[in-house]
Amino acid sequence: INGAVYTSRDILLLKDKTKKILRATVICSMTNIIANILLIPKYGMIGAAIGTTLSLIVLSGLFFFYTYKETRLNPFTGKIAAILITTLIAGMITKFIIDTIAFSSPLMTIIVSMILISALSICMVAAIGLLEKEDKEIVSIVWRRINTIFQWKK
């Protein structure tokens, strides 16, 4: 999602639409402040994370809307859409697993959630053949590094 968002922002920059970028950023900031005021007192750190996520979704939507309005380019086609769908599915699986396991600390919940959603997303994208040659090389390098750190046997 982040790649598509910043691609949209970069297109706006190339078209010299910096006022639209400023407008989207201000709306995003206001959304974050309001969400934090509403969510942090009741949910603490999780509320802050939800507020920030919500504001980034708003920013993404605004960048996409402004870019589409200016250029009629849709960054969410083909492989990008498939990757977004697999990540959404990985997120739902992660949510189910996290809800099943009760962690004592919100920080541990966040850390395990990040690891799970990342691993599931990469595995699903690789399983359906969406990784390009460079992506496969990066995954291979990371996997070799993890094996070196933990000294796992093949």
Side-chain angles (χ1 to χ4, degrees):
I1 294 174
N2 212 16
V5 169
Y6 285 102
T7 300
S8 296
R9 187 209 56 198
D10 291 344
I11 291 170
L12 291 172
L13 280 172
L14 289 172
K15 294 195 61 69
D16 201 25
K17 301 294 180 183
T18 54
K19 286 184 182 178
K20 290 188 180 197
I21 295 171
L22 175 64
R23 186 179 308 133
T25 305
V26 168
I27 292 170
C28 171
S29 299
M30 295 306 296
T31 302
N32 196 15
I33 290 168
I34 292 168
N36 284 340
I37 289 170
L38 296 173
L39 296 172
I40 289 175
K42 186 170 182 177
Y43 300 106
M45 185 169 45
I46 300 295
I50 292 169
T52 300
T53 301
L54 177 66
S55 66
L56 290 174
I57 289 170
V58 168
L59 181 67
S60 302
L62 289 170
F63 279 164
F64 174 74
F65 173 75
Y66 291 147
T67 300
Y68 187 77
K69 188 175 170 185
E70 290 293 324
T71 64
R72 299 288 183 228
L73 292 174
N74 181 356
F76 297 109
T77 57
K79 284 187 175 183
I80 300 294
I83 290 170
L84 290 175
I85 291 168
T86 57
T87 303
L88 180 63
I89 293 168
M92 291 188 296
I93 294 169
T94 299
K95 173 83 170 106
F96 174 76
I97 292 170
I98 292 299
D99 286 348
T100 304
I101 303 169
F103 290 102
S104 59
S105 113
L107 182 60
M108 183 58 95
T109 302
I110 292 170
I111 291 169
V112 171
S113 295
M114 289 173 47
I115 292 168
L116 266 174
I117 197 167
S118 298
L120 286 170
S121 295
I122 291 170
C123 289
M124 290 173 68
V125 166
I128 60 176
L130 292 174
L131 291 179
E132 295 176 358
K133 181 182 176 187
E134 294 83 6
D135 300 326
K136 290 177 184 176
E137 290 172 3
I138 291 170
V139 170
S140 176
I141 290 168
V142 169
W143 187 249
R144 281 195 307 266
R145 181 70 177 142
I146 289 171
N147 282 333
T148 302
I149 290 170
F150 294 106
Q151 298 177 353
W152 290 334
K153 306 285 184 202
K154 288 188 177 183

